[in-house]
Amino acid sequence: MQTSVGIADPFTPVQIGPISLRNRFIRSGANEMMSKATFPTRALMDFHRAYARGGVGMTTLAYLAVSPDGRTLPGQGMLSRNSVPHYRAVTDAIHAEGAKASAQITHGGSFCQIDDLSTPRAMSASAGIDKMGVLKGRFFQRAMTHADMEMVTGEFVRAAELAEQAGFDALEIHMGHGYLLNQFISPLSNFRKDGYGGSAANRVRFPAEVLAAVKRATGGRLAILAKINLMDAVPGGATVDDAIVTARALEAAGADMLVLSAGRNIESTWAMFGSALPYDDLAAMQGGLLAKLQFAILKRSVPKLPPFNENYLMEPALKLKAALGRTPMKLAYLGGIQSLAGARQAAAEGFDAIALARALIHDPGLIAKWQSGASDVSGCTACNRCVAAMYGPSGTHCPEVGNAFDPGLKDIFAGEKYAEPA
């Protein structure tokens, strides 16, 4: 089986490993902030049910931590034995609308803002200044030992097994944006001198080992995806040539699909979105002087950006695609899809799936409207105010539209009827 070339219709089904999607549209993993005490809420269930009802082939629950220390934020969703019945309620709601459910599993490493870390210093690929930990009084991070790597690999495997029990059809291992596995891949944070540092091939070695272990544990029953950076987009960071090495290693490890993104949370957030973030809005949402200062510094560090362009990551994505050649591993294009024409361009270029988030946050029913002909363009303006809004009481929504869920729904766990009796 080989990657399809020149598929002009993104509404055709696509096979990703063992699963088939009804179309090629994937709601990309993007933080919902609708978990409570690591459990999904009814709001999160309704949030993803809306995307499934709105026509996507698969929707992705974002940032599900593989362990308590893997959380970036205190209440972040986490896969655990007790959370399985609640996540089952979410996946059942998605399946009832005809879509597939993907769990984006991650470990934050040193990109961590929790107070209850089990160790004095957060883990990362290398030791040094903990850029995120400074906000919590943790000024230094520690380099992972081989024992740490074995432990974290086991945590990803356990999370994968729990996700399967919870009814997920796919797993997306987050290897981008500055989280732990990206801390190995990126030369911005990997200064190791052993076999896990140095060359691009060495830097991807641990992430590839994690993916291979997850693939073995799930036995081909779930689609295994990885989200990677096409580039870090700052001097000294990973380049498209590095991403090609990463992609080949993950293909060899058994990845069924790569989701192609860009940018790092601290150094180059703007590269993820193709436009600047509303840093003043973000600062207003944060408590504490240090957090507000962080966003003020980030605002000053952003380079002068060109106007937002749809499909802004197409050029590096095509370079990676051409280097891989004809391969059974699928590729999902992600980056500024705002219209049916943009989606058709990605499909015509031979990308197997189209991943999008902001346009769907603006209108969860967008794909059904595109398919019916009721619309052919999103009303999203890439203002990125949804990124700031996620830190408010309602979680992720579009402030321009005002489509927030009732904040009260965040206090109700999704899977009461699934939970075991006390």
Side-chain angles (χ1 to χ4, degrees), residues 293-319:
L293 180 62
Q294 174 198 29
F295 285 111
I297 293 170
L298 286 172
K299 181 179 179 180
R300 294 177 64 88
S301 69
V302 174
K304 185 176 181 180
L305 300 175
F308 176 84
N309 286 312
E310 187 171 15
N311 292 10
Y312 55 85
L313 291 177
M314 185 60 70
E315 183 178 348
L318 285 172
K319 182 176 179 180

mmCIF file of all heavy atoms in Angstrom, residues 293-319:
data_model
loop_
_atom_site.group_PDB
_atom_site.id
_atom_site.type_symbol
_atom_site.label_atom_id
_atom_site.label_comp_id
_atom_site.label_asym_id
_atom_site.label_seq_id
_atom_site.Cartn_x
_atom_site.Cartn_y
_atom_site.Cartn_z
ATOM 1 N N LEU A 293 4.552 38.948 33.465
ATOM 2 C CA LEU A 293 5.845 39.369 32.941
ATOM 3 C C LEU A 293 6.293 38.450 31.814
ATOM 4 O O LEU A 293 6.872 38.904 30.814
ATOM 5 C CB LEU A 293 6.876 39.381 34.064
ATOM 6 C CG LEU A 293 8.301 39.807 33.678
ATOM 7 C CD1 LEU A 293 8.310 41.241 33.164
ATOM 8 C CD2 LEU A 293 9.232 39.662 34.883
ATOM 9 N N GLN A 294 6.025 37.149 31.963
ATOM 10 C CA GLN A 294 6.394 36.189 30.929
ATOM 11 C C GLN A 294 5.775 36.578 29.590
ATOM 12 O O GLN A 294 6.462 36.586 28.560
ATOM 13 C CB GLN A 294 5.920 34.784 31.322
ATOM 14 C CG GLN A 294 6.143 33.737 30.242
ATOM 15 C CD GLN A 294 5.287 32.504 30.463
ATOM 16 O OE1 GLN A 294 4.204 32.575 31.030
ATOM 17 N NE2 GLN A 294 5.779 31.361 30.027
ATOM 18 N N PHE A 295 4.495 36.898 29.577
ATOM 19 C CA PHE A 295 3.836 37.225 28.313
ATOM 20 C C PHE A 295 4.297 38.580 27.774
ATOM 21 O O PHE A 295 4.340 38.786 26.565
ATOM 22 C CB PHE A 295 2.322 37.178 28.477
ATOM 23 C CG PHE A 295 1.783 35.782 28.550
ATOM 24 C CD1 PHE A 295 1.252 35.276 29.728
ATOM 25 C CD2 PHE A 295 1.826 34.959 27.437
ATOM 26 C CE1 PHE A 295 0.773 33.982 29.797
ATOM 27 C CE2 PHE A 295 1.346 33.651 27.497
ATOM 28 C CZ PHE A 295 0.822 33.168 28.672
ATOM 29 N N ALA A 296 4.651 39.490 28.672
ATOM 30 C CA ALA A 296 5.196 40.770 28.217
ATOM 31 C C ALA A 296 6.527 40.558 27.504
ATOM 32 O O ALA A 296 6.802 41.173 26.463
ATOM 33 C CB ALA A 296 5.365 41.711 29.400
ATOM 34 N N ILE A 297 7.357 39.662 28.046
ATOM 35 C CA ILE A 297 8.646 39.350 27.418
ATOM 36 C C ILE A 297 8.433 38.647 26.085
ATOM 37 O O ILE A 297 9.091 38.953 25.082
ATOM 38 C CB ILE A 297 9.504 38.481 28.364
ATOM 39 C CG1 ILE A 297 9.898 39.284 29.600
ATOM 40 C CG2 ILE A 297 10.753 37.965 27.647
ATOM 41 C CD1 ILE A 297 10.542 38.460 30.686
ATOM 42 N N LEU A 298 7.493 37.703 26.046
ATOM 43 C CA LEU A 298 7.217 36.985 24.803
ATOM 44 C C LEU A 298 6.735 37.944 23.719
ATOM 45 O O LEU A 298 7.122 37.832 22.554
ATOM 46 C CB LEU A 298 6.170 35.891 25.053
ATOM 47 C CG LEU A 298 6.646 34.655 25.801
ATOM 48 C CD1 LEU A 298 5.463 33.752 26.134
ATOM 49 C CD2 LEU A 298 7.682 33.887 24.988
ATOM 50 N N LYS A 299 5.896 38.889 24.114
ATOM 51 C CA LYS A 299 5.380 39.855 23.135
ATOM 52 C C LYS A 299 6.515 40.640 22.489
ATOM 53 O O LYS A 299 6.534 40.860 21.273
ATOM 54 C CB LYS A 299 4.398 40.802 23.824
ATOM 55 C CG LYS A 299 3.783 41.844 22.883
ATOM 56 C CD LYS A 299 2.799 42.735 23.629
ATOM 57 C CE LYS A 299 2.200 43.785 22.695
ATOM 58 N NZ LYS A 299 1.228 44.659 23.403
ATOM 59 N N ARG A 300 7.504 41.018 23.285
ATOM 60 C CA ARG A 300 8.628 41.792 22.770
ATOM 61 C C ARG A 300 9.570 40.955 21.915
ATOM 62 O O ARG A 300 10.327 41.493 21.093
ATOM 63 C CB ARG A 300 9.394 42.428 23.926
ATOM 64 C CG ARG A 300 8.594 43.483 24.674
ATOM 65 C CD ARG A 300 9.389 44.019 25.865
ATOM 66 N NE ARG A 300 10.597 44.713 25.433
ATOM 67 C CZ ARG A 300 10.657 45.993 25.126
ATOM 68 N NH1 ARG A 300 9.556 46.738 25.179
ATOM 69 N NH2 ARG A 300 11.795 46.561 24.769
ATOM 70 N N SER A 301 9.549 39.620 22.104
ATOM 71 C CA SER A 301 10.482 38.754 21.392
ATOM 72 C C SER A 301 9.969 38.291 20.032
ATOM 73 O O SER A 301 10.719 37.700 19.254
ATOM 74 C CB SER A 301 10.810 37.521 22.250
ATOM 75 O OG SER A 301 9.671 36.678 22.373
ATOM 76 N N VAL A 302 8.689 38.525 19.749
ATOM 77 C CA VAL A 302 8.110 38.056 18.490
ATOM 78 C C VAL A 302 8.653 38.890 17.323
ATOM 79 O O VAL A 302 8.614 40.121 17.365
ATOM 80 C CB VAL A 302 6.564 38.139 18.520
ATOM 81 C CG1 VAL A 302 5.975 37.799 17.163
ATOM 82 C CG2 VAL A 302 6.013 37.208 19.585
ATOM 83 N N PRO A 303 9.176 38.237 16.292
ATOM 84 C CA PRO A 303 9.659 38.987 15.131
ATOM 85 C C PRO A 303 8.503 39.621 14.369
ATOM 86 O O PRO A 303 7.340 39.268 14.567
ATOM 87 C CB PRO A 303 10.345 37.914 14.284
ATOM 88 C CG PRO A 303 9.649 36.647 14.652
ATOM 89 C CD PRO A 303 9.318 36.779 16.116
ATOM 90 N N LYS A 304 8.827 40.559 13.511
ATOM 91 C CA LYS A 304 7.801 41.158 12.673
ATOM 92 C C LYS A 304 7.287 40.094 11.709
ATOM 93 O O LYS A 304 8.053 39.487 10.953
ATOM 94 C CB LYS A 304 8.369 42.346 11.889
ATOM 95 C CG LYS A 304 7.313 43.095 11.089
ATOM 96 C CD LYS A 304 7.883 44.324 10.409
ATOM 97 C CE LYS A 304 6.793 45.065 9.647
ATOM 98 N NZ LYS A 304 7.330 46.283 8.982
ATOM 99 N N LEU A 305 5.993 39.869 11.748
ATOM 100 C CA LEU A 305 5.406 38.770 10.990
ATOM 101 C C LEU A 305 4.673 39.283 9.754
ATOM 102 O O LEU A 305 4.077 40.364 9.787
ATOM 103 C CB LEU A 305 4.422 37.989 11.866
ATOM 104 C CG LEU A 305 4.991 37.357 13.137
ATOM 105 C CD1 LEU A 305 3.868 36.720 13.948
ATOM 106 C CD2 LEU A 305 6.054 36.319 12.805
ATOM 107 N N PRO A 306 4.700 38.507 8.672
ATOM 108 C CA PRO A 306 3.888 38.864 7.500
ATOM 109 C C PRO A 306 2.419 38.640 7.808
ATOM 110 O O PRO A 306 2.072 37.997 8.804
ATOM 111 C CB PRO A 306 4.382 37.895 6.423
ATOM 112 C CG PRO A 306 4.867 36.703 7.198
ATOM 113 C CD PRO A 306 5.452 37.264 8.468
ATOM 114 N N PRO A 307 1.520 39.153 6.987
ATOM 115 C CA PRO A 307 0.092 38.888 7.190
ATOM 116 C C PRO A 307 -0.190 37.385 7.168
ATOM 117 O O PRO A 307 0.525 36.618 6.516
ATOM 118 C CB PRO A 307 -0.577 39.593 6.004
ATOM 119 C CG PRO A 307 0.414 40.597 5.542
ATOM 120 C CD PRO A 307 1.766 40.018 5.815
ATOM 121 N N PHE A 308 -1.229 36.981 7.900
ATOM 122 C CA PHE A 308 -1.604 35.563 7.936
ATOM 123 C C PHE A 308 -1.928 35.063 6.529
ATOM 124 O O PHE A 308 -2.648 35.720 5.778
ATOM 125 C CB PHE A 308 -2.820 35.371 8.840
ATOM 126 C CG PHE A 308 -3.336 33.957 8.861
ATOM 127 C CD1 PHE A 308 -2.781 33.012 9.703
ATOM 128 C CD2 PHE A 308 -4.378 33.564 8.025
ATOM 129 C CE1 PHE A 308 -3.249 31.706 9.719
ATOM 130 C CE2 PHE A 308 -4.860 32.263 8.034
ATOM 131 C CZ PHE A 308 -4.283 31.333 8.888
ATOM 132 N N ASN A 309 -1.377 33.900 6.192
ATOM 133 C CA ASN A 309 -1.668 33.266 4.910
ATOM 134 C C ASN A 309 -2.212 31.867 5.158
ATOM 135 O O ASN A 309 -1.657 31.112 5.967
ATOM 136 C CB ASN A 309 -0.401 33.155 4.046
ATOM 137 C CG ASN A 309 0.013 34.494 3.475
ATOM 138 O OD1 ASN A 309 -0.814 35.216 2.932
ATOM 139 N ND2 ASN A 309 1.279 34.836 3.623
ATOM 140 N N GLU A 310 -3.292 31.543 4.486
ATOM 141 C CA GLU A 310 -3.818 30.186 4.578
ATOM 142 C C GLU A 310 -2.768 29.197 4.097
ATOM 143 O O GLU A 310 -1.980 29.490 3.201
ATOM 144 C CB GLU A 310 -5.091 30.053 3.740
ATOM 145 C CG GLU A 310 -5.790 28.716 3.927
ATOM 146 C CD GLU A 310 -7.159 28.653 3.269
ATOM 147 O OE1 GLU A 310 -7.450 29.523 2.437
ATOM 148 O OE2 GLU A 310 -7.933 27.744 3.608
ATOM 149 N N ASN A 311 -2.750 28.009 4.723
ATOM 150 C CA ASN A 311 -1.801 26.947 4.371
ATOM 151 C C ASN A 311 -0.356 27.428 4.500
ATOM 152 O O ASN A 311 0.497 27.152 3.664
ATOM 153 C CB ASN A 311 -2.072 26.425 2.948
ATOM 154 C CG ASN A 311 -3.388 25.686 2.849
ATOM 155 O OD1 ASN A 311 -4.196 25.701 3.769
ATOM 156 N ND2 ASN A 311 -3.626 25.027 1.730
ATOM 157 N N TYR A 312 -0.061 28.132 5.597
ATOM 158 C CA TYR A 312 1.238 28.767 5.775
ATOM 159 C C TYR A 312 2.384 27.780 5.996
ATOM 160 O O TYR A 312 3.551 28.154 5.886
ATOM 161 C CB TYR A 312 1.195 29.773 6.928
ATOM 162 C CG TYR A 312 0.714 29.209 8.248
ATOM 163 C CD1 TYR A 312 1.561 28.565 9.130
ATOM 164 C CD2 TYR A 312 -0.628 29.340 8.616
ATOM 165 C CE1 TYR A 312 1.112 28.056 10.335
ATOM 166 C CE2 TYR A 312 -1.090 28.844 9.820
ATOM 167 C CZ TYR A 312 -0.220 28.205 10.671
ATOM 168 O OH TYR A 312 -0.681 27.703 11.868
ATOM 169 N N LEU A 313 2.088 26.512 6.286
ATOM 170 C CA LEU A 313 3.141 25.507 6.443
ATOM 171 C C LEU A 313 3.260 24.594 5.222
ATOM 172 O O LEU A 313 3.943 23.574 5.281
ATOM 173 C CB LEU A 313 2.887 24.670 7.700
ATOM 174 C CG LEU A 313 3.061 25.388 9.036
ATOM 175 C CD1 LEU A 313 2.711 24.465 10.199
ATOM 176 C CD2 LEU A 313 4.479 25.922 9.197
ATOM 177 N N MET A 314 2.623 24.949 4.131
ATOM 178 C CA MET A 314 2.603 24.075 2.962
ATOM 179 C C MET A 314 4.003 23.847 2.385
ATOM 180 O O MET A 314 4.363 22.718 2.024
ATOM 181 C CB MET A 314 1.676 24.645 1.889
ATOM 182 C CG MET A 314 1.493 23.740 0.676
ATOM 183 S SD MET A 314 0.772 22.118 1.079
ATOM 184 C CE MET A 314 -0.909 22.594 1.515
ATOM 185 N N GLU A 315 4.810 24.884 2.292
ATOM 186 C CA GLU A 315 6.135 24.727 1.668
ATOM 187 C C GLU A 315 7.018 23.735 2.423
ATOM 188 O O GLU A 315 7.536 22.790 1.814
ATOM 189 C CB GLU A 315 6.829 26.090 1.556
ATOM 190 C CG GLU A 315 8.181 26.014 0.860
ATOM 191 C CD GLU A 315 8.846 27.367 0.700
ATOM 192 O OE1 GLU A 315 8.182 28.405 0.915
ATOM 193 O OE2 GLU A 315 10.041 27.408 0.363
ATOM 194 N N PRO A 316 7.218 23.880 3.742
ATOM 195 C CA PRO A 316 8.023 22.868 4.435
ATOM 196 C C PRO A 316 7.367 21.495 4.465
ATOM 197 O O PRO A 316 8.056 20.475 4.420
ATOM 198 C CB PRO A 316 8.186 23.446 5.845
ATOM 199 C CG PRO A 316 7.083 24.435 6.002
ATOM 200 C CD PRO A 316 6.843 24.988 4.637
ATOM 201 N N ALA A 317 6.038 21.458 4.515
ATOM 202 C CA ALA A 317 5.352 20.159 4.505
ATOM 203 C C ALA A 317 5.585 19.429 3.193
ATOM 204 O O ALA A 317 5.808 18.213 3.165
ATOM 205 C CB ALA A 317 3.854 20.361 4.751
ATOM 206 N N LEU A 318 5.550 20.158 2.096
ATOM 207 C CA LEU A 318 5.803 19.546 0.790
ATOM 208 C C LEU A 318 7.251 19.083 0.661
ATOM 209 O O LEU A 318 7.531 18.058 0.031
ATOM 210 C CB LEU A 318 5.460 20.522 -0.328
ATOM 211 C CG LEU A 318 3.970 20.725 -0.606
ATOM 212 C CD1 LEU A 318 3.755 21.854 -1.610
ATOM 213 C CD2 LEU A 318 3.330 19.433 -1.103
ATOM 214 N N LYS A 319 8.178 19.827 1.265
ATOM 215 C CA LYS A 319 9.583 19.411 1.218
ATOM 216 C C LYS A 319 9.768 18.087 1.938
ATOM 217 O O LYS A 319 10.447 17.176 1.445
ATOM 218 C CB LYS A 319 10.478 20.481 1.837
ATOM 219 C CG LYS A 319 11.960 20.133 1.776
ATOM 220 C CD LYS A 319 12.843 21.262 2.302
ATOM 221 C CE LYS A 319 14.322 20.860 2.234
ATOM 222 N NZ LYS A 319 15.211 21.952 2.740
#
